[in-house]
Amino acid sequence: MNLTLKIWRQKNANDKGKMVDYPISDISPDMSFLEMLDVLNEQLINKGEEPVAFDHDCREGICGMCSLYINGEAHGPDRGVTTCQLHMRMFNDGDTIYIEPFRAAAFPVIKDLVVDRSAFDRIQHAGGFISVNTSGNTIDANAIPVNKHDADDAFAAATCIGCGACVASCKNSSAMLFVGAKVSQFALLPQGQVEATDRVLNMVKQMDEEGFGNCTNTGACEVECPKGISLENIARMNREYLKASLKG
């Protein structure tokens, strides 16, 4: 496959940045998208040019690092996959592919296609945890019965990998699907009830302080989410927030 890549290049957070064209040839349709970028970077390095900076780690759709905006879609044209799981067979010979970083005020560009998603970490630190007694008197996890439906829903929420596709896809740059998933995975389980009130209040407060927008129920986040996180988690978070607010 012969392709034309239009890639966002930005030297640092203060640089204005611009789209740069890169022709690339002999790309196998069986390559992953990141392997294609590896080929491009190898060519750039051999020519003495600066390689394109992009995030990646596991390359197995687990870590959420490889978040790119490809042809106007978070993670590209496929569904239920991260960028590293996207294969070049989704494109055609002669295509022009636009590659940009995730765009959101709360995700500032560090360099080229790499953005700072530490806002998600700070939201997690605000309440995305449970307190467990580790003094030697720990209780076996199976000692507390959990309804199967609740366990399944909690597990589904916990599959969120924090990639930020929900934010990048949302016209408001809302992080409510991410926060909703993190709140839900604990709210559905008995182990999460101890900090339930503080958790949702603190996480939503931190989300707002980070500069994410509000949810207007467009649903683009659920469509683009590589793990298929449901909008039901946003509704559950809203209910948890209302209950916590009334208690306070």
Side-chain angles (χ1 to χ4, degrees), residues 30-104:
D30 295 323
M31 281 183 180
S32 74
F33 199 86
L34 295 190
E35 287 173 336
M36 180 273 294
L37 289 179
D38 289 338
V39 170
L40 172 66
N41 277 345
E42 185 175 4
Q43 294 175 0
L44 293 176
I45 292 169
N46 289 338
K47 291 190 291 185
E49 298 181 23
E50 183 78 13
V52 177
F54 62 94
D55 262 336
H56 61 96
D57 191 1
C58 73
R59 299 202 178 201
E60 295 179 346
I62 299 170
C63 69
M65 291 294 291
C66 59
S67 302
L68 301 178
Y69 211 64
I70 304 164
N71 284 350
E73 295 182 87
H75 294 302
D78 208 350
R79 288 291 174 266
V81 299
T82 54
T83 301
C84 63
Q85 296 173 302
L86 178 68
H87 283 82
M88 297 310 297
R89 66 178 71 97
M90 296 297 298
F91 304 94
N92 298 312
D93 184 40
D95 276 358
T96 297
I97 304 175
Y98 291 79
I99 310 170
E100 302 173 76
F102 280 179
R103 304 289 190 185

Side-chain angles (χ1 to χ4, degrees), residues 56-167:
H56 61 96
D57 191 1
C58 73
R59 299 202 178 201
E60 295 179 346
I62 299 170
C63 69
M65 291 294 291
C66 59
S67 302
L68 301 178
Y69 211 64
I70 304 164
N71 284 350
E73 295 182 87
H75 294 302
D78 208 350
R79 288 291 174 266
V81 299
T82 54
T83 301
C84 63
Q85 296 173 302
L86 178 68
H87 283 82
M88 297 310 297
R89 66 178 71 97
M90 296 297 298
F91 304 94
N92 298 312
D93 184 40
D95 276 358
T96 297
I97 304 175
Y98 291 79
I99 310 170
E100 302 173 76
F102 280 179
R103 304 289 190 185
F107 288 166
V109 175
I110 298 174
K111 181 178 181 181
D112 294 339
L113 304 174
V114 181
V115 298
D116 181 357
R117 284 172 287 179
S118 60
F120 273 9
D121 296 330
R122 291 187 289 273
I123 292 171
Q124 276 286 84
H125 294 165
F129 53 85
I130 61 171
S131 295
V132 178
N133 185 346
T134 58
S135 64
N137 297 316
T138 52
I139 300 174
D140 188 275
N142 294 328
I144 304 174
V146 179
N147 180 277
K148 178 65 163 60
H149 180 74
D150 291 341
D152 288 345
D153 286 349
F155 188 86
T159 59
C160 169
I161 56 176
C163 67
C166 50
V167 175

